[in-house]
Amino acid sequence: MEVHNISPVLIQNANFGIIVVDSSFHIESLNQAACEILDIGGNPVGTPLDKVLKEAAGDGSQTLTQALYDNNASPVNVVINGKLKILEISAANLFTPKSVKEGVVFFINDISKAGDSAKASKDDLNLETIGRLASEVAHELKNPVTVIKGFSQLLLKKQYDEEQITDFLEIIFKEAERAHSFIQDFLNLGKTKKLHKKQINLSNLIADSVAEIEKQCFLNGIGIVQQIETSSKILGDYNQLKQALVNLGKNAVEAMELCDGPKRLTFVLMRDSLRDKIYIKVIDTGNGIPPQLQGKIMTPFFTTKKYGTGLGLSITKTIVEQHGGKLQLSSSDHGTTAIIELPCQTINQEAVP
Ligand SMILES: Nc1ncnc2c1ncn2[C@@H]1O[C@H](COP(=O)(O)OP(=O)(O)OP(=O)(O)O)[C@@H](O)[C@H]1O
Ligand SMILES: [Mg+2]
């Protein structure tokens, strides 16, 4: 993706600072809000970001640079041209279709202006989320669209034999599917989808979910264990709950793909009759989630994967909560356990007001 192709309208109209840098941290573009927040005069495009920050913040530029590279949403205090400012900074990497890092986009919110700091942090959280969302959506769609455009152009040249044309069409189809599935996930995010509830057999649900990821497990030498300790049925939306389990299963597989040692994916189904709850656990033997990331993993678009959308866990959480349940993850460096807790609701209970 060419960094300067990020929508200029989006950059200029945002009321929070946006700075886009190329892979050598030279400024590609920035908006008016960024110039105002950092008190940048003239046209800094093409200038190294460090240099511009030094001019703006003098001694404070180190704190600012550190905050930019840490990509930590906690506010930092910086003196810019003699004025104390409280800034919240976040960043997202930009990649080429071949996954080469091509630049970074920084989002900067000045929360010092609002007198009420509680309100400021609430508003800025929204701005940060919107900024990240816009950049992630652009990033996720830009890659497949670039590939589709490139291969369609090749096809239009009509210079290729049938076999090559089939290869190109397959690539186009795969990328269109990727974009379609992203858009689908994006549209479903946060939406309370109408559930089609019926009595479902949870061991069948687990078996069906396992079938979806079996091939990926086999290819990665991952053994699958199904520990079914109860024959419970609950009232739920089969397809939605299956999607939740497949999302957790995929995360587990992806966590074990590159790790050493025994690779095991365990699905546990158990019932706590006293509390009237069902538990479905998805346990992996991967390297776990680093403690500093554990608070972020449910945030939409948070991902540590090259091709991840970062929507899997948010979608799973929404589905589980729509069923009156809870999703929890616990992790150590020996692996991760995702626990879905669901109420043991049956058809008869649902009929009771
Ligand atoms: N079982 C796990 N082991 C280790 N890390 C995990 C596990 N599950 C989730 N994570 C971390 O949480 C992040 C967010 O997960 P989520 O499923 O929301 O998105 P993703 O897997 O990155 O992308 P997508 O689900 O769209 O493929 C992952 O990128 C990963 O860093
Ligand atoms: Mg995932």
Side-chain angles (χ1 to χ4, degrees):
M1 166 153 101
E2 288 167 51
V3 172
H4 53 264
N5 275 352
I6 289 187
S7 165
V9 177
L10 173 76
I11 293 183
Q12 284 314 327
N13 290 341
N15 58 354
F16 51 97
I18 299 179
I19 301 180
V20 181
V21 297
D22 63 17
S23 56
S24 52
F25 284 87
H26 284 63
I27 297 180
E28 274 268 345
S29 54
L30 78 173
N31 65 357
Q32 187 56 32
C35 293
E36 281 166 17
I37 294 170
L38 299 176
D39 222 348
I40 299 170
N43 182 3
V45 170
T47 316
L49 179 63
D50 288 2
K51 194 171 165 225
V52 173
L53 296 180
K54 196 149 194 163
E55 274 166 21
D59 289 346
S61 68
Q62 224 174 334
T63 321
L64 196 53
T65 313
Q66 189 66 37
L68 284 167
Y69 297 153
D70 280 355
N71 187 16
N72 184 342
S74 338
V76 283
N77 297 339
V78 201
V79 178
I80 293 172
N81 283 346
K83 243 172 135 185
L84 176 69
K85 293 198 172 179
I86 309 166
L87 305 181
E88 270 187 353
I89 296 167
S90 58
N93 287 322
L94 302 166
F95 294 95
T96 64
K98 289 188 174 156
S99 298
V100 177
K101 187 170 161 184
E102 188 174 33
V104 183
V105 52
F106 295 106
F107 303 100
I108 307 169
N109 295 320
D110 182 357
I111 60 171
S112 39
K113 276 189 242 152
D116 175 348
S117 65
K119 180 181 175 297
S121 66
K122 186 169 168 276
D123 289 350
D124 285 336
L125 181 71
N126 291 337
L127 285 180
E128 187 201 324
T129 311
I130 292 163
R132 182 174 289 276
L133 197 132
S135 129
E136 295 291 347
V137 170
H139 171 65
E140 281 303 324
L141 293 181
K142 185 97 194 188
N143 286 351
V145 168
T146 307
V147 176
I148 291 169
K149 189 175 156 204
F151 281 96
S152 316
Q153 273 168 343
L154 289 181
L155 284 174
L156 284 171
K157 287 190 179 162
K158 299 188 175 160
Q159 292 169 351
Y160 299 92
D161 61 35
E162 214 163 300
E163 203 176 321
Q164 285 168 313
I165 291 174
T166 310
D167 286 348
F168 292 170
L169 286 173
E170 266 169 19
I171 294 170
I172 290 174
F173 181 71
K174 216 175 102 213
E175 292 300 317
E177 285 263 273
R178 199 171 125 192
H180 180 255
S181 118
F182 173 77
I183 292 167
Q184 209 55 40
D185 282 352
F186 183 68
L187 291 176
N188 289 340
L189 187 70
K191 246 193 208 169
T192 30
K193 239 184 160 187
K194 186 163 168 34
L195 296 182
H196 299 287
K197 280 190 176 181
K198 56 179 190 189
Q199 191 99 293
I200 56 178
N201 178 319
L202 289 171
S203 40
N204 287 352
L205 178 81
I206 291 178
D208 270 0
S209 311
V210 165
E212 290 259 325
I213 48 174
E214 223 162 24
K215 190 169 161 209
Q216 219 182 333
C217 287
F218 175 74
L219 293 174
N220 288 289
I222 298 169
I224 306 177
V225 179
Q226 292 184 52
Q227 213 173 300
I228 309 296
E229 295 174 10
T230 175
S231 58
S232 290
K233 288 184 177 171
I234 65 156
L235 199 62
D237 185 313
Y238 197 87
N239 290 328
Q240 293 284 302
L241 285 173
K242 185 171 148 195
Q243 192 192 343
L245 284 185
V246 170
N247 286 352
L248 295 179
K250 277 191 177 159
N251 278 351
V253 173
E254 285 156 6
M256 291 187 281
E257 270 171 357
L258 297 175
C259 75
D260 303 320
K263 299 179 183 186
R264 201 175 48 251
L265 170 58
T266 310
F267 284 84
V268 180
L269 172 63
M270 53 194 273
R271 182 186 184 130
D272 181 340
S273 306
L274 279 180
R275 297 182 59 216
D276 221 13
K277 301 279 187 211
I278 292 287
Y279 294 93
I280 304 174
K281 298 186 184 179
V282 182
I283 308 167
D284 68 62
T285 53
N287 293 332
I289 305 164
Q292 69 274 21
L293 300 187
Q294 288 181 12
K296 299 184 180 175
I297 53 168
M298 301 266 187
T299 311
F301 298 108
F302 175 82
T303 183
T304 53
K305 298 169 193 170
K306 249 185 200 171
Y307 295 107
T309 64
L311 291 178
L313 284 178
S314 349
I315 291 169
T316 304
K317 187 166 178 275
T318 307
I319 294 172
V320 172
E321 287 174 355
Q322 272 187 277
H323 282 82
K326 280 187 208 153
L327 172 68
Q328 279 178 327
L329 266 86
S330 63
S331 195
S332 74
D333 47 10
H334 301 301
T336 300
T337 299
I339 307 175
I340 294 179
E341 179 191 288
L342 292 168
C344 305
Q345 196 187 27
T346 62
I347 285 197
N348 295 340
Q349 281 170 312
E350 164 120 309
V352 176

